[in-house]
Structures are given as C-alpha cells and as structure tokens.
Amino acid sequence: MPELPEVETTRRRLEQSLIGQTFDSVTVTWPRSIRTPVSELQRELPGLRIEALDRRGKYLSFRLSNGYFLLLHLKMSGRLMVESKAIKPHLHVRTRFGLSNGHELRFKDTRKFGRVYFLKDAKPILGKLGPEPLDDHFTPDAFQRLCRGHKGRLKPSLLNQEFIAGIGNIYADESCFEAGLHPASRLEDLSNSDLRRLYKAIRTILTKALNYEGTTLDEVYPEGEFQNHFQVYGRREQTCFRCQTPIQRIILAGRSTHFCPVCQPCAKEH
DNA sequence: CTAAAATCCTGGTGGC
DNA sequence: TGCCACCAGGATTTTA
C-alpha cells in the first residue's frame, strides 16, 4: 500500500538522519525478506556509509560508500523508522540495520511482504521500472507515446510498474476518477484528449497526495492525511461528491476498484 | 501473446 | 467469548 507518495514521504523524513551515517550491524528476524544471502549482508554492510537516499518507483535506494546499493521495498505493510538501539523494537520489526551513532534503521513489516536487496548494481531491478510520473522528463508527449505502445485495460496498466512506476491501488483509482475515465477502458480506445486528461490527473493526484504526506490507513503507515481527500477509493455505495451517484466497486485485475459510473463512462461510449 | 488466478502473510472483521 | 472463514493488497509465479 505504500505507493509513490508514501515512499517519497518516508525518504524525505529519513534522509536527514541517515545521510553520512555508517552501518555497524544487521539483525534479521525474518530471513525470507532478504533477497541477498543474509550472511553476505551481515559481513559486507558494516563499515559502509550512506552517501545518498533516493527513491525510484516504490523502492528506496541507499547508495553506499563502496558503490553498492541497499534497496528496500515496503510492499503492503512495510514501515521504516530510525530509533535508538536502547528502545525495544516493536514485535513486527523484521530487520534492524545498526548504525554507529547508537541508532538503528528499523524495517517494521507486519505482513512480511517487504523485500531487502544488497546489490553491486541496482539496474537489474530499477532498470525494469517504467517512467517516474513526477519527473520533468515525463511529458504529455512521452505519456502519449507510452500509452500508444501498450495494450490492455487502463487500471491494470497503471498498476504495472514496468509501464509506469509508483502507482498502486489507491492512486490508480483516484487518478481514473480525476481523469473521468472508466478503469476498465482499453488504452487503445482512449482518445488523445483522454490521454492528456489522464496525464494531468496522475500528476495532480500524486502531487496532492505528496503535499498531504501520503495516505494513512489501518495505522500501517501513519504518514499523511490524503485519506481524508479520497473521491472514490474505499467509498463503495457512498455518493459521488461530483454527481451524487453511488460509487461502485468492482474487481479488476484481482484488485478492488472504485469508480463513479456517471463521471467515469467507458471510453468507447463517448 | 495476453490475462486471469494463485501465491505469500497477518490482523481485523463479520457471522454464528 | 470463541471459532472460523474471509478480506485487504504489490509483485511474482503459475495456469489457461
């Protein structure tokens, strides 16, 4: 559920306290989340300094002093915090990255979906991702070219990280509403004007969510307050703020999908 | 080729 | 109060 706005908010909040710090230990209580041999991580990470903390899609990327990268994916329930080693870690902290300043970077992950990678080169993972929706290089023209080279339904495409990076279930639904497009529309049925609206909608929604420091649901990642500004997500059977029609919920690509049947007509029908 | 379904996980919820 | 089936969902893997 942490999507681009939540991951970026996490990055911004952690950056100050982590840049320049040096790792001194790694403690793992759920080894399956570590996609590098745990012994290698524990042998190699201590002594390395954090040079930069970046985000690509939903990944956080630590650039280390030996040129290696530590990649973290929060998946469903992951949360990162920096705490003093003296504070007893929460039950659901699965990995603790000890720092030489007496603190720890703690990876709390109730549902155990989160992933940790320690790699010489981040490209094999980050290179597969589609464009960054808020990047300056992501222009309306670039988006149109992207869509014209892709087949499939709108919402599943938005969730496909190789198509476009960083969008998850919440922001896919909110972006479709903002664009006035039915989430099951086929990309090839969208007009150029539909695509321009969609481009603008994606940027508007992600920017707005970022300004609210993301979404807080189920106390999983108490980051921001965008949940107070949902138009459709989680609003099944509540009335549309724009036209008062009840919001519908369907399953698309195996994911619950919320939309207004009046404000978001199917592309073919208009 | 695309697309749907199963998989991994836990905590919370609703039914009885 | 307890038990249990069921749901949420990101990305990968399997099946159709």
Side-chain angles (χ1 to χ4, degrees), chain A residues 13 65 87 90 99 103 105 114 151 160 180 184 193 218 248 270:
Chain A
R13 288 185 181 177
S65 47
I87 295 173
H90 186 278
L99 301 167
H103 285 66
L105 173 63
K151 284 184 173 183
N160 179 354
S193 119
D218 303 331
Q248 283 186 15
H270 72 180

Side-chain angles (χ1 to χ4, degrees), chain A residues 89-218:
Chain A
H90 186 278
L91 173 68
H92 296 141
V93 170
R94 312 295 183 189
T95 305
R96 288 146 52 204
F97 300 93
L99 301 167
S100 59
N101 67 353
H103 285 66
E104 278 179 342
L105 173 63
R106 291 174 171 175
F107 191 3
K108 180 184 166 194
D109 185 22
T110 305
R111 294 182 198 174
K112 299 180 174 174
F113 281 4
R115 293 289 178 262
V116 176
Y117 305 81
F118 178 67
L119 302 162
K120 185 169 190 163
D121 180 10
K123 261 227 166 94
I125 291 177
L126 302 186
K128 287 192 211 161
L129 297 173
E132 278 295 317
L134 295 182
D135 196 280
D136 288 342
H137 301 293
F138 186 68
T139 60
D141 282 354
F143 183 61
Q144 183 167 322
R145 282 194 298 276
L146 183 71
C147 292
R148 292 303 181 220
H150 198 266
K151 284 184 173 183
R153 294 187 188 277
L154 171 55
K155 175 165 170 182
S157 299
L158 294 179
L159 294 178
N160 179 354
Q161 301 301 300
E162 297 183 20
F163 177 70
I164 186 170
I167 299 175
N169 209 39
I170 292 172
Y171 300 111
D173 280 3
E174 293 297 321
S175 296
C176 289
F177 176 81
E178 177 74 17
L181 294 171
H182 194 292
S185 307
R186 303 204 64 91
L187 280 185
E188 50 271 42
D189 292 334
L190 299 184
S191 67
N192 287 347
S193 119
D194 288 336
L195 293 184
R196 276 196 300 276
R197 281 206 319 285
L198 179 57
Y199 168 87
K200 221 174 160 210
I202 291 168
R203 305 253 297 190
T204 298
I205 292 295
L206 292 178
T207 301
K208 188 173 171 188
L210 214 37
N211 287 338
Y212 284 110
E213 302 192 297
T215 295
T216 304
L217 285 182
D218 303 331

Side-chain angles (χ1 to χ4, degrees):
Chain A
M1 245 186 295
E3 309 180 26
L4 187 154
E6 290 76 33
V7 179
E8 178 62 21
T9 298
T10 299
R11 190 197 70 76
R12 290 176 184 177
R13 288 185 181 177
L14 293 179
E15 190 173 33
Q16 296 298 333
S17 47
L18 289 177
I19 300 287
Q21 296 303 322
T22 302
F23 289 110
D24 71 356
S25 61
V26 182
T27 307
V28 178
T29 54
W30 184 252
R32 198 175 295 182
S33 68
I34 315 289
R35 311 309 272 190
T36 302
V38 172
S39 57
E40 184 191 326
L41 183 66
Q42 290 175 324
R43 190 179 62 240
E44 302 295 334
L45 197 64
L48 298 182
R49 197 175 58 246
I50 300 170
E51 304 284 352
L53 175 52
D54 300 307
R55 180 195 56 77
R56 177 77 173 91
K58 300 174 193 170
Y59 287 89
L60 283 169
S61 166
F62 294 80
R63 185 160 57 79
L64 305 170
S65 47
N66 66 345
Y68 274 59
F69 295 89
L70 184 69
L71 299 187
L72 300 180
H73 197 305
L74 306 177
K75 291 285 182 94
M76 287 297 299
S77 57
R79 181 164 164 72
L80 281 174
M81 57 267 258
V82 175
E83 291 175 338
S84 165
K85 288 174 179 173
I87 295 173
K88 192 181 173 200
H90 186 278
L91 173 68
H92 296 141
V93 170
R94 312 295 183 189
T95 305
R96 288 146 52 204
F97 300 93
L99 301 167
S100 59
N101 67 353
H103 285 66
E104 278 179 342
L105 173 63
R106 291 174 171 175
F107 191 3
K108 180 184 166 194
D109 185 22
T110 305
R111 294 182 198 174
K112 299 180 174 174
F113 281 4
R115 293 289 178 262
V116 176
Y117 305 81
F118 178 67
L119 302 162
K120 185 169 190 163
D121 180 10
K123 261 227 166 94
I125 291 177
L126 302 186
K128 287 192 211 161
L129 297 173
E132 278 295 317
L134 295 182
D135 196 280
D136 288 342
H137 301 293
F138 186 68
T139 60
D141 282 354
F143 183 61
Q144 183 167 322
R145 282 194 298 276
L146 183 71
C147 292
R148 292 303 181 220
H150 198 266
K151 284 184 173 183
R153 294 187 188 277
L154 171 55
K155 175 165 170 182
S157 299
L158 294 179
L159 294 178
N160 179 354
Q161 301 301 300
E162 297 183 20
F163 177 70
I164 186 170
I167 299 175
N169 209 39
I170 292 172
Y171 300 111
D173 280 3
E174 293 297 321
S175 296
C176 289
F177 176 81
E178 177 74 17
L181 294 171
H182 194 292
S185 307
R186 303 204 64 91
L187 280 185
E188 50 271 42
D189 292 334
L190 299 184
S191 67
N192 287 347
S193 119
D194 288 336
L195 293 184
R196 276 196 300 276
R197 281 206 319 285
L198 179 57
Y199 168 87
K200 221 174 160 210
I202 291 168
R203 305 253 297 190
T204 298
I205 292 295
L206 292 178
T207 301
K208 188 173 171 188
L210 214 37
N211 287 338
Y212 284 110
E213 302 192 297
T215 295
T216 304
L217 285 182
D218 303 331
E219 298 177 59
V220 167
Y221 42 99
E223 301 282 1
E225 50 177 298
F226 186 71
Q227 68 281 4
N228 300 323
H229 304 272
F230 288 163
Q231 302 292 307
V232 287
Y233 183 83
R235 298 196 64 245
R236 166 161 53 160
E237 285 166 28
Q238 297 175 50
T239 56
C240 174
F241 293 127
R242 199 177 283 167
C243 76
Q244 315 308 319
T245 304
I247 300 300
Q248 283 186 15
R249 177 183 175 274
I250 58 172
I251 300 296
L252 204 54
R255 295 288 163 255
S256 71
T257 299
H258 313 76
F259 67 101
C260 171
V262 172
C263 296
Q264 297 170 261
C266 223
K268 266 188 178 168
E269 294 156 21
H270 72 180

